[in-house]
Amino acid sequence: MDNEVMEQVLIFTTILAPIVAALVQSIKQTVALPNNVFPILSLFVGLGVGLVAFPFTGMDSVSRLWAGALAGLGGTGMYELVAKRKGTSK
């Protein structure tokens, strides 16, 4: 990938990350799943959102999948940074 394509992927990732984070949070509120499942769920939600976002961008499908994957992983990390944690680690 050249610099222009990577720049487009990062810009698209920035747009998708809050959307993916919001979708994962809504899934957390509606479905009872173990907490360790949500990072991989966020990855797959990001991939799905990136793939179905073809009407909004002229990027090819591989670039959209990269942006979706980065947004899914970044959305999880963004949530973990701002979430209040109680207790201690092992």
Side-chain angles (χ1 to χ4, degrees):
M1 288 187 194
D2 60 6
N3 287 338
E4 184 178 323
V5 173
M6 281 306 296
E7 185 177 314
Q8 289 177 349
V9 167
L10 290 176
I11 290 170
F12 198 51
T13 299
T14 305
I15 294 168
L16 291 180
I19 296 168
V20 171
L23 286 173
V24 171
Q25 279 305 111
S26 65
I27 292 170
K28 278 184 179 182
Q29 299 298 320
T30 57
V31 179
L33 292 172
N35 286 337
N36 60 351
V37 173
F38 288 109
I40 194 75
L41 177 69
S42 180
L43 173 68
F44 285 118
V45 168
L47 287 170
V49 169
L51 194 59
V52 300
F54 64 89
F56 305 109
T57 182
M59 295 166 50
D60 62 342
S61 61
V62 173
S63 297
R64 287 194 321 269
L65 285 172
W66 271 107
L70 291 172
L73 296 175
T76 299
M78 185 172 51
Y79 175 76
E80 293 295 327
L81 281 175
V82 298
K84 295 182 179 177
R85 298 285 169 199
K86 295 181 181 178
T88 59
S89 62
K90 291 183 180 179

